[in-house]
Each structure stands twice: as structure tokens, then as C-alpha cells.
Amino acid sequence: MEIIRKNELQEILDLVKMIPHGKFLITGAAGSGKTFLLNIAGKILWEQGKKIRYKNMELFPDNKKTGDYLSESSDTVYLIDGLDDIYRYKQIIKEIEFGKACYICTSRDNQFATKFDYEIKLEPLTTEQTFLLMIILVIMLQMNILLRVLSNNLIISA
């Protein structure tokens, strides 16, 4: 069984290596694996020594000012999930457009005036890939729950 989005993952990793301050966009329909791909790429880049910052809609509530969400740190890779949902925050778009860091963003489509260095368009997952992804997510959820239980038991017993 093939690893889901293996080619696209390698493509992202190669792009970040070739263009360390690039702006990359991952597009695809809901459920096509954009967020999953973004998270796996972030994990691998972090393991390679990159500084990772993750942003999504939850971090941009309506009642907050939009400045200073993304710094000018040139050694940071910003993972921005759901750029189409965040797009109304013009300051965020300016920071992506003029920032000196690396930005990897996801969106359902490329509706932006901002020029990206590269766009990866994801095709919908096959039935087999969807099933495999669901299994992986259930295992990850179970591992997370187990780690929380273990960590709580260690904290309580200490």
C-alpha cells in the first residue's frame, strides 16, 4: 500500500530546500489531504532543524488585531492552514507577500492576488487512500489519548 501523498510530500520538502524563503500553496477539495500533508511536512522539516510556526483560523479570532501574527524571522517555516478562511485579514496576506520567511499554505483553491512561488494541486483521494487515512488518524488519536492518560498518571503520582 502506497504512503498517502508521498510524491507531494517529497515535492514540498525539495521546494523548501531549493527556495528556503519561498511561498508555497497546497490546494485541493475538502478532504483531499491538504492539512494532513501540511502537518507531515512540518514534522519532517522540524526534525531537519527548521523552526516551525503553525497558524490556522482558530488563531485569528474576529476580535483580535491582525498585526504581529507572523514575524520577520527568516529561519522560520510558517504553516498556514486554511488561508482561504484567513484571507480577510489583509495584514496576514501582506506579511506572507512581503515576509522573509518560508510560508506553506493550504486553501481549497488559489483565489489570491498574492503570487506564490509554487502551487501543488491535490487530486481527490481514492477510496483506498481515504480508508488508509482514516485508520492513520484513528491510531494517532488513540496514541494521543494514551499519552495524555500516561502523562496525567505520571503527574498525579509524582
Side-chain angles (χ1 to χ4, degrees), residues 20-21 49-52 71-78 100-102:
H21 301 114
K50 300 281 187 191
K51 190 185 304 181
I52 303 295
S71 73
E72 288 296 318
S73 177
S74 63
D75 64 341
T76 301
V77 177
Y78 288 94
K100 294 175 176 54
C102 177

Side-chain angles (χ1 to χ4, degrees), residues 110-124:
N110 188 351
Q111 59 190 9
F112 313 108
T114 302
K115 183 186 178 300
F116 288 89
D117 296 308
Y118 196 84
E119 179 180 351
I120 297 173
K121 296 180 181 179
L122 300 182
E123 296 298 322

Side-chain angles (χ1 to χ4, degrees), residues 122-136:
L122 300 182
E123 296 298 322
L125 293 173
T126 64
T127 303
E128 182 180 286
Q129 288 174 323
T130 303
F131 181 71
L132 180 58
L133 182 60
M134 288 173 35
I135 290 172
I136 291 169

